[in-house]
Amino acid sequence: MPRDLVMVRHGLSEANVRQKKLLADLPRDIADAIDARPDWEQRLTPIGVEQARNAGDWIRQHIGPIAVFDVVYFSPFMRTRETAVALVGDEKDVYLTPEDRIIERDWGIFGKMSKEDQRKYFPKTVVEKNANPLYVRLDGGESHMDVYGRIRDMDGTLHREYPEGRVLMVTHGDYMNARRYAIERMLPEDWMTIDGDRSFDFHNCSVLHYS
């Protein structure tokens, strides 16, 4: 496997602002436009761009220049594309490689609804998600185990193409959660303990480094 595997979650996105209700006075037409977009089209906010630049500076200070990585993968979603570009900044000789296997977990129809509507239209999914978050498949979407399947396939590529190499991925929080499960060879109860502890959350532009 690679000698270094570094993952960065994307910066604060428009959808994050809506989900966290960070702007209570957001104009209704703008809020509706954000809600109506497919997940892959959600963009970074100005704060998200700044977070990505800071993450790039942190990597350069603590790990090395972005250019020393053998490959820099990015999820093709808009917010991860923009994070990757801001993270690289003015560095030269960095080639960014799109990779569909590191995209966000698909939350399906379930994820497009408010929590109130989730409880109304998918009450059994809500109960199962709370009781069994690792394995439950969201309506019209994926489970964490589905993401795990993508990870195992991706590991085959890393094994063939970058043994002892240095790999950087600009990706998403649920992907990083599932990759922890895979790399650290967790049991389900190990993952459940971490998932229930908010101190283990991957915030925007969190950097996770395995060496």
Side-chain angles (χ1 to χ4, degrees), residues 167-192:
V167 175
L168 175 63
M169 297 179 179
V170 183
T171 182
H172 305 264
D174 276 352
Y175 181 88
M176 292 166 69
N177 270 324
R179 186 160 271 290
R180 282 204 68 179
Y181 181 84
I183 290 178
E184 299 179 30
R185 299 294 185 184
M186 292 181 181
L187 293 170
E189 58 267 32
D190 300 326
W191 187 91
M192 288 279 288

Side-chain angles (χ1 to χ4, degrees), residues 66-72 95 97 161-168:
I66 308 300
V68 305
F69 286 90
D70 296 285
V71 63
V72 180
Y95 182 77
T97 303
E161 298 184 9
Y162 304 105
E164 297 299 316
R166 307 185 85 180
V167 175
L168 175 63

Side-chain angles (χ1 to χ4, degrees), residues 24-77:
D25 58 347
L26 193 66
R28 184 73 254 168
D29 59 331
I30 295 177
D32 288 344
I34 292 172
D35 292 342
R37 287 185 199 134
D39 188 33
W40 72 270
E41 290 186 351
Q42 301 293 355
R43 307 288 299 271
L44 283 190
T45 63
I47 291 175
V49 173
E50 186 63 24
Q51 289 172 331
R53 290 172 180 156
N54 291 339
D57 290 341
W58 189 93
I59 290 171
R60 280 182 281 272
Q61 179 181 353
H62 295 277
I63 302 173
I66 308 300
V68 305
F69 286 90
D70 296 285
V71 63
V72 180
Y73 289 117
F74 68 93
S75 156
F77 284 27

Side-chain angles (χ1 to χ4, degrees), residues 74-146:
F74 68 93
S75 156
F77 284 27
M78 292 298 296
R79 58 189 179 275
T80 32
R81 290 190 221 178
E82 293 174 335
T83 299
V85 170
L87 185 141
V88 170
D90 296 328
E91 274 200 55
K92 307 298 183 185
D93 302 319
V94 178
Y95 182 77
L96 299 175
T97 303
E99 177 50 68
D100 287 295
R101 287 172 293 179
I102 67 172
I103 63 172
E104 176 65 294
R105 175 191 184 186
D106 186 350
W107 280 65
I109 301 170
F110 183 88
K112 292 290 288 185
M113 294 183 170
S114 66
K115 292 189 181 299
E116 180 181 349
D117 282 345
Q118 288 172 356
R119 290 190 291 268
K120 178 179 178 181
Y121 294 104
F122 298 109
K124 292 183 179 179
T125 302
V126 171
V127 171
E128 187 67 11
K129 182 175 180 294
N130 291 331
N132 190 24
L134 181 60
Y135 291 102
V136 64
R137 179 173 288 134
L138 304 178
D139 299 86
E142 292 180 302
S143 67
H144 281 290
M145 283 292 100
D146 292 323

